Amino acid sequence: MTEAAEDWTAVDLTNCDREPIHILGAIQPIGFLLALTADWMVARASANTAQFIGREPADLFGLPLDQVFSPEAVHDLRNRSAILRGPDAVERLFDCPIVGTDALFDIAIHFSGGQVVIEAEPASGEHGDATGMVRSMITRLDQTVDFPAFFREGARQVRALIGFDRVMVYRFAADGSGEVVAEAVKAGIGQFMGLRYPASDIPAQARELYRRNMLRVITDVNAAPVPVVSQRDQQGTPLDLSLSVLRSVSPIHIEYLKNMGVGASLSISIIVEGRLWGLFACHHYSARCPTFERRSVSELFAQMFSMRLESRERKQTVEYERRARDISDQLLGAVASDESLLKDPDWLADILTHAIPADGVGVWLGGAFAFSGTTPPADEFRRITRALNGTAAGKVFATDHIGSLIPDAAGFASEASGLLAIPISRSPRDYVVLFRKELIHSVRWAGDPHKPVAYGPNGPRLTPRESFEEWKELVEGKSAPFTASEIRVAETLRATLIEVVLRLADEASAERQQASARQELLIAELNHRVRNILGLIRGLIRQSNPDGADVQNFVKVVDGRIHALARAHNQITDDHWGPAPMQALIDAEAAAFIDDHERIVTSGEAIFLNPNAYSTLALVVHELVTNSNKYGALSTEGGRVNLDWRRDDAGDLILEWRESGGPTVKPPTRKGFGTTIIDRSVPYDLGGKAHVDYAPEGVHATFCIPARHLAEPRVIPAGAAIRYPRPAVGHPQAMPAAILKGHDILLVEDSLIIALDAEDIAQRLGAATVTTAATVMGALDQIEAHKPTVAMLDINLGDRNSYPIADRLAELRIPFLFATGYGEQANLPTEHRGRPVVQKPYTVENVARAMDGLLGPAEEA
């Protein structure tokens, strides 16, 4: 690298932020400065004091002020200093006789670092009606009808007051850049209206000075600065000139103004609600020094302008938020009478966009979504909601650039570039999201804001670019930003929506409490039954223990008895723990032992038994069939059983078991547990009667079951979903071969063990691929990544349900069925009523039957 190249090393313009512009140690030559100690002794002076009061700085140091100024001037200055209030206060005196009546000065006085700073410049002799002038200027402002006219009139009034060639109203944006929003300009010199300037044009320390010191004048960019003597006090501290009216100018800023062709400038701060809203930026293309009085009047006008601006903005905000509250009340009232409106995106979009302008609305509730207007695609909306879950919980989130929230947002920027998200629930959160389209516009920068700058004539300072050169930049991927007022309105709407959601949640909570009470009763009953069943199984095992050591036979006996109970339990629970038909019990037991069902002949009316009686009779019939199959009529080819039942006059059930065609019967020499079940179960468990006659031609057993154990069947409503219950345990059933051959199946199940079991069943049925998911979001992601050809959805996924997945599958026309362990209690929503439902636990048989009904006959493997 050459030496010349090293001298021009590229740097960033923000290096200007390091310049200590408030302690440059010099003033402009239009006046002089004295800095006094706390006891009013001269400690510092500008080098040009002799020009104005005839005494050099060296002659002033250490003198009390009353030996430098006239007694009248000192008296007036002490009085003014006494009324200084606050760290940024400045007081002014006009036509003050400092060293005699012939020399009058306009003076500013303030405190700085424990010293009294006095700045004076020759009085102009101009004495107008400042109060009347400002009143007239404000009256003109008040007559403007909107903000553009208000800004334009403000610029016109300031230009009329100070006579500069160009007066601009310059407004700061949130990112620190600024835009010229109004301008009053002399004809023929061009316009800056609409130009924007990067934040680096006004460094941070300059903004702070604008906030503290409202008026800043530069009378001549070519004037030589006047140093303050001495530069530092005894502690080595320079004089802070933040509040100075004569403070000299940064060399960087001087170069900046020269590059723009400006000879003099004046800036007046516009302060709204304590923040720097903007400036009156005034340029003159030759040297110009407005009088001290006119500068003071323009500062007063700027203060009044700021107050009027604040009042107008606040009035506009109040009116806007009042209308938004009316909309919020309308929203609350409408949803209170029809809660389904909360899920209607078109209705929500219509009412919300009246409060907050937007191009589209997306609603995310419980994993389901709906759109109105112009919105991102569904897949992108899911990405957005996941990203929103990482933002501050419970707060409205707004951005004009969705790309800052999720990557690769440019693909849908034309539909949505900005969003405002209103969370309406706790995690996992639900949202109402307002979207705004991309706002493609050309920003007219006054000079390239990205252009690097280099070391120049000021050594370590920077040479500013030529800011008068317009440089256009196309801004893409952003929307119109959401304002602070709109965000406040969104918070109000959020509170309203939360109120609606909480009210609905309260109603749902009351229903849940009632359901919980019912559930507790059911759980208590279930616990009672489970304990009884466990006790029964223990008894079966203990009583079935053989005398010999034939473990295999023992297992077979116990297995048969437990299967009998399981078959009865299945029949009862398939009918919601209600009455079950006795015929089904007999058919199940017959199917478990013999192939020819005609060998057991039944006759009797349709009888339904309550669950307790059903389980008891299942064991009795099981033992009768087992014994007959081993020793009685069913053990020979020609034997048969007649099983008849009827009601007697008391309404009790009389059940008769009669065997014939078998071997000669002899009474048992040893009474085993099976015989005990036959003889004692009905009398003991049901309070009925039992009699067994071991006649030589065949066993004849008679049972009397009291009427209280009989019931009417439960009626299932018409139009209920097609349901595939569990088959009776231990019964072989025909299974469609390879029903899932070639299919990619999606299994949604929140229990890993059950999911593995279901996956194994699907593979046994010939599925090509099996994908499992445990959550709504996981399933939706799997569907978008690889569309299945068929799906099986567990209805209940923890505290969620699988209906949003069903909605998506229905949109894609992918066949699916539901699975549940709740039997008839599964209440499907209207749009999915009639869908197939498999009752859990999964078995090869019930899944195959359901899939066969869903997909049609399978091809042979």
Side-chain angles (χ1 to χ4, degrees):
M1 181 179 292
T2 65
E3 183 176 350
E6 292 175 349
D7 288 343
W8 287 87
T9 304
V11 294
D12 190 272
L13 190 61
T14 56
N15 285 341
C16 290
D17 286 345
R18 293 201 297 262
E19 189 176 21
I21 59 176
H22 61 302
I23 52 173
L24 293 178
I27 64 170
Q28 298 179 62
I30 60 172
F32 71 94
L33 176 147
L34 296 179
L36 313 178
T37 62
D39 55 357
W40 289 66
M41 307 284 287
V42 177
R44 287 185 172 106
S46 58
N48 62 348
T49 53
Q51 176 184 342
F52 294 98
I53 59 174
R55 300 175 72 170
E56 294 291 342
D59 299 329
L60 301 174
F61 295 147
L63 293 179
L65 187 62
D66 57 12
Q67 294 184 19
V68 180
F69 286 0
S70 67
E72 180 182 358
V74 174
H75 177 270
D76 290 341
L77 288 170
R78 282 188 174 275
N79 285 342
R80 286 289 181 175
S81 68
I83 62 175
L84 285 171
R85 293 292 183 270
D88 298 335
V90 178
E91 284 294 324
R92 295 172 174 81
L93 291 85
F94 298 94
D95 296 336
C96 184
I98 289 181
V99 292
T101 57
D102 295 333
L104 300 179
F105 288 84
D106 295 331
I107 300 177
I109 181 172
H110 69 274
F111 292 129
S112 175
Q115 293 189 332
V116 181
V117 177
I118 297 173
E119 297 172 277
E121 56 186 277
S124 64
E126 183 180 60
H127 299 290
D129 181 6
T131 303
M133 187 184 305
V134 172
R135 185 186 302 113
S136 174
M137 295 168 73
I138 295 301
T139 299
R140 290 178 177 273
L141 272 182
D142 290 341
Q143 292 173 351
T144 57
V145 296
D146 55 23
F147 279 108
F150 179 82
F151 298 146
R152 190 167 52 251
E153 186 61 31
R156 289 182 64 246
Q157 294 296 318
V158 172
R159 182 166 184 263
L161 182 63
I162 62 173
F164 271 51
D165 291 334
R166 185 191 307 276
V167 174
M168 300 167 284
V169 177
Y170 183 80
R171 178 173 58 195
F172 289 115
D175 62 359
S177 63
E179 180 182 6
V180 179
V181 296
E183 173 176 56
V185 61
K186 184 176 74 172
I189 61 172
Q191 294 189 340
F192 288 176
M193 179 66 183
L195 284 183
R196 290 187 63 181
Y197 293 78
S200 55
D201 270 20
I202 303 180
Q205 77 274 34
R207 294 167 193 262
E208 175 60 18
L209 287 186
Y210 280 131
R211 192 186 63 80
R212 296 184 60 196
N213 189 351
M214 286 193 62
L215 189 139
R216 177 80 169 101
V217 64
I218 302 172
T219 61
D220 186 354
V221 298
N222 295 308
V226 179
V228 175
V229 186
S230 64
Q231 289 288 308
R232 298 179 181 271
D233 61 15
Q234 294 178 347
Q235 287 75 38
T237 304
L239 182 62
D240 187 337
L241 295 176
S242 296
L243 303 180
S244 169
V245 298
L246 298 177
R247 176 168 50 87
S248 185
V249 189
S250 155
I252 293 177
H253 189 56
I254 289 295
E255 290 180 33
Y256 182 94
L257 293 176
K258 287 181 178 179
N259 284 338
M260 297 181 71
V262 173
S265 77
L266 185 143
S267 301
I268 317 171
S269 303
I270 302 172
I271 307 292
V272 175
E273 294 183 345
R275 62 181 176 85
L276 184 62
W277 181 96
L279 300 169
F280 284 106
C282 313
H283 290 170
H284 202 69
Y285 293 94
S286 61
R288 182 171 180 80
C289 181
T291 65
F292 193 84
E293 181 175 0
R294 291 205 168 236
R295 299 200 314 262
S296 299
V297 171
S298 63
E299 182 177 353
L300 177 59
F301 170 74
Q303 289 176 319
M304 299 298 294
F305 179 91
S306 300
M307 293 172 63
R308 288 295 200 275
L309 174 58
E310 181 174 332
S311 176
R312 285 190 176 219
E313 286 189 340
R314 189 168 294 170
K315 182 179 179 181
Q316 183 185 60
T317 299
V318 167
E319 176 60 23
Y320 168 67
E321 294 182 1
R322 184 196 62 77
R323 286 188 286 106
R325 282 194 299 273
D326 291 343
I327 293 172
S328 178
D329 293 341
Q330 178 186 348
L331 171 65
L332 182 60
V335 177
S337 60
D338 183 3
E339 63 186 52
S340 65
L341 290 174
L342 193 60
K343 299 179 181 179
D344 184 343
D346 292 326
W347 181 83
L348 271 178
D350 182 61
I351 195 168
L352 292 179
T353 54
H354 275 78
I356 303 172
D359 299 303
V361 172
V363 181
W364 182 275
L365 284 173
F369 57 85
F371 295 127
S372 177
T374 304
T375 61
D379 297 345
E380 303 297 346
F381 188 47
R382 274 192 287 272
R383 289 177 60 211
I384 289 169
T385 55
R386 283 198 294 268
L388 288 172
N389 287 336
T391 62
K395 293 184 178 179
V396 169
F397 176 83
T399 178
D400 64 349
H401 181 45
I402 297 179
S404 65
L405 182 67
I406 60 171
D408 304 322
F412 58 89
S414 58
E415 290 84 20
S417 287
L419 67 81
L420 186 147
I422 305 175
I424 58 173
S425 69
R426 295 183 176 87
S427 181
R429 290 194 289 279
D430 298 327
Y431 297 94
V432 174
V433 185
L434 282 70
F435 292 101
R436 285 181 177 174
K437 292 181 180 179
E438 182 179 31
L439 182 65
I440 300 179
H441 60 282
S442 179
V443 177
R444 299 173 58 231
W445 291 98
D448 185 347
H450 309 302
K451 179 182 176 182
V453 291
Y455 285 106
N458 292 307
R461 308 299 187 202
L462 293 173
T463 301
R465 52 184 165 69
E466 295 184 354
S467 296
F468 59 88
E469 291 182 354
E470 182 180 310
W471 187 87
K472 292 186 178 181
E473 178 186 28
L474 191 65
V475 179
E476 297 178 322
K478 290 188 177 183
S479 70
F482 292 91
T483 66
S485 294
E486 289 170 339
I487 293 173
R488 284 196 298 270
V489 166
E491 289 288 0
T492 300
L493 292 172
R494 174 183 171 274
T496 299
L497 291 169
I498 286 290
E499 183 177 347
V500 170
V501 171
L502 289 179
R503 182 181 62 78
L504 297 179
D506 287 342
E507 294 174 358
S509 177
E511 293 178 2
R512 282 197 301 271
Q513 288 177 356
Q514 295 175 1
S516 178
R518 293 192 298 269
Q519 186 180 41
E520 288 179 3
L521 291 175
L522 290 173
I523 290 173
E525 175 67 16
L526 178 62
N527 286 337
H528 170 72
R529 293 181 184 277
V530 168
R531 283 194 295 268
N532 284 347
I533 289 172
L534 291 174
L536 178 59
I537 292 174
R538 290 180 61 195
L540 286 174
I541 294 172
R542 189 166 52 250
Q543 295 298 326
S544 301
N545 189 19
D547 295 334
D550 188 352
V551 175
Q552 185 175 1
N553 185 61
F554 169 70
V555 171
K556 184 176 181 181
V557 170
V558 173
D559 182 65
R561 287 168 178 165
I562 292 176
H563 272 183
L565 285 175
R567 287 190 288 272
H569 185 267
N570 276 354
Q571 188 63 48
I572 294 166
T573 55
D574 281 345
D575 205 21
H576 193 197
W577 203 262
M582 189 172 69
Q583 183 68 56
L585 182 153
I586 296 168
D587 290 344
E589 290 303 320
F593 289 93
I594 59 177
D595 296 328
D596 184 3
H597 292 186
E598 294 181 358
R599 297 183 65 193
I600 298 180
V601 180
T602 61
S603 66
E605 63 178 298
I607 294 293
F608 285 77
L609 299 172
N610 285 331
N612 191 37
Y614 199 93
S615 298
T616 299
L617 196 60
L619 275 177
V620 171
V621 174
H622 171 76
E623 293 301 329
L624 287 169
V625 173
T626 300
N627 288 343
S628 182
N629 195 54
K630 286 183 177 181
Y631 314 112
L634 297 179
S635 67
T636 61
E637 187 172 341
R640 61 187 296 162
V641 173
N642 286 87
L643 186 57
D644 307 313
W645 60 86
R646 68 185 185 278
R647 289 180 186 247
D648 63 13
D649 294 338
D652 298 338
L653 175 66
I654 305 300
L655 177 68
E656 288 193 71
W657 172 280
R658 192 183 301 273
E659 298 184 23
S660 62
T664 303
V665 176
K666 297 179 181 180
T669 57
R670 184 183 64 83
K671 196 172 185 178
F673 182 53
T675 304
T676 301
I677 290 175
I678 295 171
D679 289 342
R680 300 182 60 185
S681 290
V682 171
Y684 188 88
D685 290 336
L686 306 180
K689 298 174 183 179
H691 176 73
V692 182
D693 179 13
Y694 295 96
E697 64 273 14
V699 174
H700 178 205
T702 303
F703 304 93
C704 177
I705 299 172
R708 67 178 179 273
H709 296 295
L710 310 182
E712 295 298 324
R714 187 172 68 90
V715 177
I716 298 176
I722 304 170
R723 297 175 192 270
Y724 296 90
R726 299 180 293 267
V729 179
H731 290 197
Q733 297 213 353
M735 181 180 72
I739 187 66
L740 293 178
K741 180 181 179 182
H743 280 284
D744 300 321
I745 183 170
L746 171 66
L747 293 174
V748 181
E749 169 61 59
D750 62 345
S751 168
L752 175 62
I753 301 302
I754 297 176
L756 292 174
D757 187 38
E759 183 176 346
D760 180 60
I761 290 171
Q763 290 172 342
R764 289 170 62 188
L765 292 176
T769 64
V770 182
T771 303
T772 58
T775 63
V776 171
M777 291 302 299
L780 293 173
D781 289 343
Q782 292 288 357
I783 292 170
E784 302 310 319
H786 179 70
K787 290 182 175 58
T789 59
V790 66
M792 185 160 64
L793 315 178
D794 182 12
I795 292 177
N796 297 287
L797 303 174
D799 60 349
R800 307 286 294 279
N801 59 54
S802 60
Y803 299 143
I805 309 171
D807 294 340
R808 183 58 176 158
L809 291 170
E811 288 177 11
L812 297 174
R813 301 183 182 277
I814 297 173
F816 65 93
L817 52 82
F818 290 108
T820 181
Y822 288 89
E824 297 294 335
Q825 289 176 304
N827 185 21
L828 299 179
T830 303
E831 58 268 29
H832 297 300
R833 200 158 292 164
R835 296 278 184 186
V837 179
V838 172
Q839 188 172 336
K840 295 164 63 176
Y842 302 114
T843 66
V844 173
E845 292 85 356
N846 67 354
V847 172
R849 289 168 58 203
M851 287 296 180
D852 188 36
L854 180 68
L855 301 174
E859 298 179 1
E860 290 297 327

